[in-house]
Structures are given as structure tokens and as C-alpha cells.
Amino acid sequence: MADYNPDEWPEQNMKTAASQAGSTSSDPLLQPFRLKGLTLRNRVVSTSHASMLDDGGLPLERYQRYHEEKARGGLAMTMVGGSAMTSPDSSWGGGQLDLSTDRIVPHLQSLSQRVHRHGAAVMCQVSHLGRRATAYAGNWLPPVAPSRVRETRNRNFPKEMDAADVDRIIKDYASAARRCLDGGLDGVETVTGGHLIGQFLSLRTNRRTDGFGGSLENRARFGLMVHEAIRRAVGDDFAVGIRFVIDEAAKDGSDFDECLAFARLFEREGHLDFFNCIFGRMDTDLSLAEQNMPGMFSPSAPFLPLVGQFKRETRLPVIHAAAIRDIATARHAIRENLVDLVGMTRAHIADPDIVNKMMRGEEERIRPCVGASYCLYKKVQCIHNPASGHETIISHTIVRAETPKRVVVVGGGPGGMEAARVAAERGHRVSLLEAGARLGGQVLVAASASDRKDLIGIVDWRVDELARLGVEVRLNTYADAEIVLADQPDAVIVATGGVPDMERLEGAEHCDSVWDVLTGVVPAKDDVLIYDETGRQAAVSCGLHLARPGRVISLAIADDTLAIETPYPDRVSFRKRAAESGIRVVSDVRLVKAARQGNGIAATFRHELTGAETEMTAAQLIVERGTVPMEDTYQDLRARSANNGVTDIALMTGTETRRDNGPQAAGSFVLHRIGDAVASRDIYSSIYEAYRLCSQL
């Protein structure tokens, strides 16, 4: 691989952009764009985010492969280092790139070379967290801020910065930006928002009376000094931008007009090359979920009109990314001149090959972002793209098998559909047998809740892919052992899922399941008690779906907080909506039994902490305790399979690769089961398991 030459990169990129634009001249998303001295090959970018793929603050192999895949997929630019540390006292405890020392430079060089060889640009976010940092992890240093104002979300009391802190951190910003330049990157961006520069800008967090507080000009001084120092460190040719809040959406914060005044100050100083516009605050889970990184409960592209207004009143190029999940919305944003570059960050976690598919005329094959926020659960990963975030373990590209086989998949839920899709991509002849009238399994139940309807994209995309791949789909087919064996399979994948778990529950006959109610099999009554033992979305989604004036809904949970087993945007949004809907929540209780009482149901609960028993009554008791595997077909096939139905864990975990040994002996087949047919889990687990297994078949 040739060494990166920063002087040659813009010219090389311009040639690539011109070549691509020639074949797609009518699509506004695929037009080149000049940013500073950099010609980007199209208008689609992925913005900075904390992927949690770093190794001790360094972008090593898994971090690099994750971003390289996006570059290979055709986007114009990938931005790395969400909340990357400029200073030792800017840690939230892990998951950030550490730009505070030179040890990162060679790894940035490797990263930039890998991205550039695919024709994309790469920038890094450089920031100091200020009061968002933690004193109880990382370097165990006290956070600093303009004023001693505690952040609700990160809960630390910061030290008020003195002159020495100001000088030190400004130098740290400049040094961090210089390391990005030395690492071969194409630019950097700083952050306002809830980060340190933004904490100086906002009256909510800046109560100083010196030259850094009070007037608009004084509050902007720190940010202006940071960018002046960065520009001196990196020179005039390196792109420098700012992820900029255009409205704090708070009575005591900066409104649109004040943010616009700040923007004009930054433009006037001349050290910036672009604005990356964001909205709202990030100092609580709720503000993150509804404003800064809008999730499942937010409409598509909620802040795009306001960003367009900001662009009309400023001069610098504008980037924006917030719930822009689909190509139609992105194309509208460019065509209407609302932005210059459109950020499709979470959409690229769902499908890093977005631009390539557009270029090939395969836009309908783009795997949709369904807004599930699973990419914010623990580390970057997509609810229905198992390869994202696992690039060092499994590939986004499915390799064809040397010897085609006959594969039968039993069960058409998300795991079964994925198993059939991947096996067909491998070149196998695949039949998918589903007992119901539609494919989708439990996703159909989940998507019937009004707040989760977009999950149906997981099903619809696979239905289209199975049709394209020529998979035989047999609906309304209960596949017992004899039906499966009649197809003379070489491999059988049992993905029959599970049924609602009512086992060992005294009085289960008096209870309904979430499935029954959401699908309309059982009508909801006006006085409903829902019991949740999982901490997942199902029970609370059911409660919100049923909530309406005149209906009384209570939710009893075994955990100490609602929806504890969900990404934080969903968790806080569920809590908010439950409160708005008047749903009564009783926590730390476990259902012991249910009994008929007059025209209603009496439910006995035992408190998880005290052991005390209490009784709640309602006209209807809905129970959510996960699922019990449907395994009859699997058990009937085990003795007749070549592997006794045992799946090699080494094969599943990627520590061993199965060799293609050609056709199996006549009458023999291997048998595997996946997803909830094994144990009650979630959509991602089923799809991930199917992908790992079937990519080795």
C-alpha cells in the first residue's frame, strides 16, 4: 500500500469524484463537493460517534476496519473519534480516542491510509468534555468547566477553570489537531453542545464574571481562542470545522437567534471551514434521545428545516446528521439546499454500502435503518446487520461455497429469514418453511405496537432479498420431521422461535400474553395490569399501545426501573411516555400467582427486596416473561442428524472455520437451531447467530 501524500490526495479524490459523477449526473447526492482544499466525491458522510471499538483509546484493527468498510462502501467522508480526548481530564471512563499524546499518530496514519485507498476522506472530532467528564474513571482527574455547575447525566461536580486551565486546554486542542494532521487525516471538528466550548457559550453553564463570561462576545472568547490555536497548529490548508448547536431548546439556554450570532462571530474570525449542525442539549438521557441523537420515538429528520434556515443565514458549508435514515430524505436535503453534506451515520451502520448500491442502480437493496437505537446499546452494532462493529470477526461480504448444498430452514422469523438469505448468498439451494401466513415471526408482533412500527423494515428487506435470491418460501406449512426430510437436505436450520412463557405460573389460565393483545387475538379491557419480567420493550410498548382516555393501565416490573434491558434512548423515552400516558409503574415485584376474583383477576406479587406479598386487581392481567423454545421439530430430527443437533461453539464464535468437505453421505444432514428456538433473546441475537452459522455452511 502506497504511503499517503497529503498534497496528492485532493487531486486523486477529484478524479474519483468526477468519474463517479459522470455516470450519475442527475442525482444530487452523488455530486462532488469542494470543502476547503478537499474535493469530496459525493454528498454523503458519516459523522463522528463513539463506536466503543477503540483499544485503550487507540484506533487499532477493529476500529480501522469499521471505518474502512464505510469508505469501501462509497461515501464521501467518514468522521472518527466521537468526543475524542484532547486532554487527560476529558475522559468519561472509556470508549474515546485519546488524542492527548503522540502514541496515537501511527494508528491514525494507518487508519487514514486505509480510508484514502478507497477514495474517501477522513476527519476526526477533537474535544474536551468539560463537566461531562468523570472524576471516577480514566485518569481519575476532576472535571473542569467554566463554572461549578453539575451535569445531570454525568453527575460530576466540576472545578471552575482558572487561567492556567484555560491556557493548558487551548494548547491541548491545538496539539490534538496537529496529531490528526500528522496522522494523515483531512481535517478536524470541535464541538459546542454540552462539551467545553459549548459550556462557555451557554448561560446555563457559564456564570463567570471575568472576560469569559457575561456578554455574547465574552462567552465566545474561549472557543475563538481554541480555533485560533488550532489554525496556527495545522496551517491554512487543513479543514477545521465545528459541530455546532443551532438552538439549545431550553428557556435558560441559547435560542436560535443567539446561536446564529455566535456562528457569525466564528465566521468573522475566519478560522473555521464548516458547521456541522446539531440541535438541543446532551446533559440528560432524555435530551440526548430526543434532540442530540433522536431515536425510535422521533420522526425522520426532525431538525432539517431549522438547519436549512441556519444555512440560509450563514456563509460556511453545512453538514447535518440527525435521524436522516433513508436516501429519499437525504436527497431532499441536498436538492433543496438545506445542507451541503448529509450525515447518514446510523444508516451506514445498517448498511455501509449505501452509496455503492446507489451507483449500481440498486437503491431498493439498501438495508434500512429502522431507528431501533440498538447501535447505542453497549457498542456500535445494528439490530439487523450483524457484521457492523464485528468486521474483524465476520465479513460484510458473503463468500460463495465451493460445493452447493440443499438447505432447509424451519421458521420464518428474523433468524430464519437471515439464515435462508445468507445460505442462498452462499450459493446453496434453500427452502424456507413457515407455519404462519406471513414471514416475520415476533417482529410482526413488535411492529404492531404503534411506537415500533418501523421495525417492519427488518422483515420487508429480507422478504425482498429472499425473492431476489430465489429462495423457495412455503407459508402455512407446519414443518414436522417428515416434511423436512422429504426435501433431502444436507443442512437443516431450525429457527422456530418460542411461545410466551407461562410455565410454572400458578393461574396462568387467567392471563393473556403481550402477543395476544398486540395482535388483536384477545381484546384489551378498560382496566389492565401488565406484568413484565424481562426489562425489554414488549410490555411497556404494549402498555403505551393500549393507553387511551378512560383506560386504566398499571405496569408491574421485576426490575428497579422500566425497560432496563434496552438502549438508553429507548429506556428514558419509554419512561417519559409512560408518565405522560398516566401508566402506574410498580417496581421490584415478582408475580407469584393469578386467580379469578369476581369479574376480574387478582395478582399476587412478592417484593424483590423485602419479600412482602401484595395483591393488585384488574379486569385483565397481561404477562410478559420471555419465551419458551418451540423445539418439537428439532428434537424429532436430532437422532437422525449427522451431528446429533450439536452446533460447534468454536464455529459460532469464529475461532474455527469449517472446511467445505463437499457433498455429505446420502441420507445424512447436519442440524442446527438458532435464535429463540434455543433460548429467549432479542432480534439482534437471532440474526447474528444466523449470519455466523450460515456463512460457514
Side-chain angles (χ1 to χ4, degrees):
M1 180 172 57
D3 290 338
Y4 164 65
N5 184 333
D7 295 327
E8 294 176 358
W9 161 242
E11 182 180 353
Q12 292 170 347
N13 202 17
M14 187 182 297
K15 291 177 180 177
T16 302
S19 173
Q20 292 185 348
S23 61
T24 54
S25 57
S26 63
D27 194 331
L29 283 176
L30 298 178
Q31 303 309 304
F33 183 76
R34 191 81 175 179
L35 181 64
K36 191 68 172 179
L38 186 68
T39 297
L40 301 174
R41 58 184 173 181
N42 55 62
R43 303 298 185 94
V44 182
V45 303
S46 172
T47 54
S48 298
H49 55 287
S51 66
M52 312 301 285
L53 296 176
D54 65 291
D55 290 275
L58 298 177
L60 303 187
E61 184 66 14
R62 59 179 184 163
Y63 196 101
Q64 293 183 29
R65 290 276 291 277
Y66 167 69
H67 284 281
E68 182 182 15
E69 195 64 37
K70 298 184 184 189
R72 183 184 286 113
L75 53 56
M77 176 171 64
T78 186
M79 304 176 82
V80 305
S83 303
M85 293 169 53
T86 58
S87 308
D89 54 357
S90 182
S91 171
W92 62 37
Q96 304 158 264
L97 292 189
D98 183 1
L99 296 169
S100 66
T101 71
D102 290 341
R103 71 185 183 121
I104 199 170
V105 172
H107 305 293
L108 291 178
Q109 290 171 341
S110 176
L111 170 62
S112 61
Q113 288 171 5
R114 294 173 86 153
V115 170
H116 287 153
R117 73 182 177 188
H118 298 293
V122 56
M123 294 190 188
C124 184
Q125 186 177 102
V126 297
S127 187
H128 195 294
L129 292 170
R131 70 175 188 152
R132 301 203 76 222
T134 181
Y136 305 113
N139 294 310
W140 286 76
L141 294 170
V144 297
S147 303
R148 194 178 59 82
V149 180
R150 179 177 183 255
E151 184 187 274
T152 301
R153 187 169 193 266
N154 281 14
R155 307 183 64 82
N156 286 264
F157 290 95
K159 169 199 174 188
E160 183 171 305
M161 292 170 63
D162 57 24
D165 292 320
V166 170
D167 291 343
R168 169 180 61 86
I169 292 173
I170 289 173
K171 291 176 183 176
D172 287 347
Y173 266 103
S175 297
R178 178 69 204 194
R179 291 181 184 108
C180 292
L181 173 64
D182 292 342
L185 274 61
D186 302 294
V188 296
E189 69 169 10
T190 60
V191 193
T192 63
H195 292 225
L196 186 58
I197 294 175
Q199 292 163 28
F200 271 95
L201 295 179
S202 177
L203 286 172
R204 301 181 70 247
T205 46
N206 185 346
R207 300 173 182 175
R208 301 175 74 102
T209 57
D210 61 5
F212 293 97
S215 69
L216 186 143
E217 290 77 9
N218 281 359
R219 285 180 280 139
R221 179 167 285 116
F222 176 77
L224 295 173
M225 293 170 68
V226 165
H227 291 102
E228 182 181 9
I230 288 175
R231 183 57 72 193
R232 286 200 306 267
V234 300
D236 292 334
D237 297 329
F238 195 63
V240 178
I242 186 169
R243 186 175 292 197
F244 188 79
V245 172
I246 61 173
D247 191 328
E248 281 197 290
K251 291 181 179 179
D252 57 346
S254 299
D255 60 12
F256 180 81
D257 290 337
E258 183 166 278
C259 289
L260 186 60
F262 281 129
R264 288 169 174 160
L265 270 179
F266 282 111
E267 283 186 326
R268 187 184 69 195
E269 291 298 309
H271 299 308
L272 290 179
D273 302 307
F274 64 88
F275 290 112
N276 184 354
C277 294
I278 55 176
F279 179 90
R281 308 186 315 280
M282 58 180 74
D283 52 2
T284 66
D285 280 350
L286 186 62
S287 60
L288 269 173
E290 293 187 340
Q291 299 172 357
N292 197 255
M293 292 183 287
M296 178 174 65
F297 295 93
S298 299
S300 175
F303 312 122
L304 197 52
L306 192 63
V307 172
Q309 182 180 342
F310 178 87
K311 176 173 166 53
R312 288 191 296 273
E313 301 192 40
T314 52
R315 294 183 291 104
L316 293 176
V318 167
I319 304 171
H320 176 58
I324 300 175
R325 302 177 184 130
D326 61 274
I327 290 300
T329 303
R331 188 173 284 125
H332 164 77
I334 298 296
R335 180 181 287 125
E336 299 303 316
N337 200 31
L338 303 176
V339 298
D340 296 293
L341 298 169
V342 60
M344 302 189 72
T345 309
R346 282 177 280 184
H348 273 84
I349 300 173
D351 191 340
D353 209 35
I354 288 174
V355 175
N356 280 348
K357 287 179 178 176
M358 293 171 60
M359 298 282 289
R360 295 194 298 261
E362 299 177 349
E363 190 171 319
E364 74 284 352
R365 290 197 57 220
I366 294 172
R367 187 191 317 247
C369 173
V370 297
S373 299
Y374 206 87
C375 49
L376 300 173
Y377 189 47
K378 298 179 181 177
K379 72 179 184 67
V380 67
Q381 51 198 12
C382 174
I383 194 170
H384 73 132
N385 183 349
S388 281
H390 294 102
E391 283 79 8
T392 59
I393 301 172
I394 55 178
S395 173
H396 286 268
T397 302
I398 298 169
V399 178
R400 292 184 71 83
E402 295 177 9
T403 306
K405 295 182 174 67
R406 181 75 175 95
V407 178
V408 175
V409 180
V410 184
M417 295 177 74
E418 181 72 353
R421 183 189 76 85
V422 175
E425 288 277 17
R426 292 271 287 154
H428 300 314
R429 188 161 60 93
V430 183
S431 293
L432 174 59
L433 314 182
E434 163 57 34
R438 294 178 61 191
L439 295 176
Q442 291 184 47
V443 176
L444 299 180
V445 180
S448 63
S450 54
D451 53 29
R452 305 183 72 200
K453 61 183 183 298
D454 288 346
L455 290 177
I456 201 64
I458 296 171
V459 176
D460 291 345
W461 182 77
R462 284 173 174 77
V463 168
D464 291 343
E465 286 294 288
L466 294 178
R468 179 184 68 83
L469 292 164
V471 171
E472 179 195 24
V473 176
R474 291 168 16 208
L475 301 174
N476 299 306
T477 302
Y478 181 82
D480 60 19
E482 301 311 317
I483 289 177
V484 171
L485 294 177
D487 284 335
Q488 298 182 312
D490 297 308
V492 178
I493 313 297
V494 175
T496 44
V499 294
D501 183 3
M502 299 288 184
E503 288 186 355
R504 294 181 293 279
L505 174 59
E506 183 179 344
E509 67 274 16
H510 304 302
C511 305
D512 298 317
S513 73
V514 166
W515 295 20
D516 292 333
V517 177
L518 285 180
T519 58
V521 172
V522 173
K525 298 185 178 179
D526 287 334
D527 180 15
V528 179
L529 171 60
I530 303 172
Y531 171 63
D532 180 29
E533 202 170 290
T534 69
R536 301 173 186 169
Q537 297 99 332
V540 63
S541 288
C542 181
L544 293 174
H545 184 72
L546 298 180
R548 60 176 173 79
R551 178 176 281 158
V552 177
I553 297 177
S554 300
L555 188 56
I557 62 176
D559 299 303
D560 60 358
T561 192
L562 200 60
I564 195 171
E565 203 174 303
T566 65
Y568 74 83
D570 294 359
R571 189 162 58 244
V572 68
S573 296
F574 277 132
R575 285 166 46 212
K576 175 185 176 180
R577 281 155 180 77
E580 289 174 335
S581 300
I583 296 175
R584 175 194 177 202
V585 179
V586 179
S587 62
D588 293 307
V589 294
R590 190 171 298 272
L591 181 61
V592 176
K593 63 181 179 180
R596 175 68 61 186
Q597 186 179 88
N599 292 327
I601 307 295
T604 301
F605 293 93
R606 181 176 295 117
H607 197 277
E608 289 283 87
L609 304 180
T610 68
E613 291 192 354
T614 56
E615 188 175 272
M616 298 175 65
T617 60
Q620 184 176 31
L621 175 58
I622 301 171
V623 172
E624 170 58 26
R625 300 167 74 217
T627 57
V628 177
M630 294 179 63
E631 56 181 0
D632 289 352
T633 301
Y634 169 78
Q635 295 297 349
D636 289 345
L637 288 168
R638 285 194 71 172
R640 292 186 254 187
S641 69
N643 63 334
N644 194 32
V646 176
T647 301
D648 188 348
I649 290 179
L651 175 67
M652 291 294 292
T653 56
T655 56
E656 177 182 300
T657 302
R658 184 180 299 280
R659 296 179 180 178
D660 191 331
N661 295 318
Q664 292 158 194
S668 69
F669 64 95
V670 292
L671 173 66
H672 304 279
R673 61 172 171 164
I674 59 174
D676 284 7
V678 181
S680 180
R681 287 170 287 169
D682 61 9
I683 295 170
Y684 177 79
S685 299
S686 297
I687 291 175
Y688 186 35
E689 200 163 65
Y691 191 100
R692 288 197 295 181
L693 173 66
C694 293
S695 62
Q696 299 286 344
L697 278 181

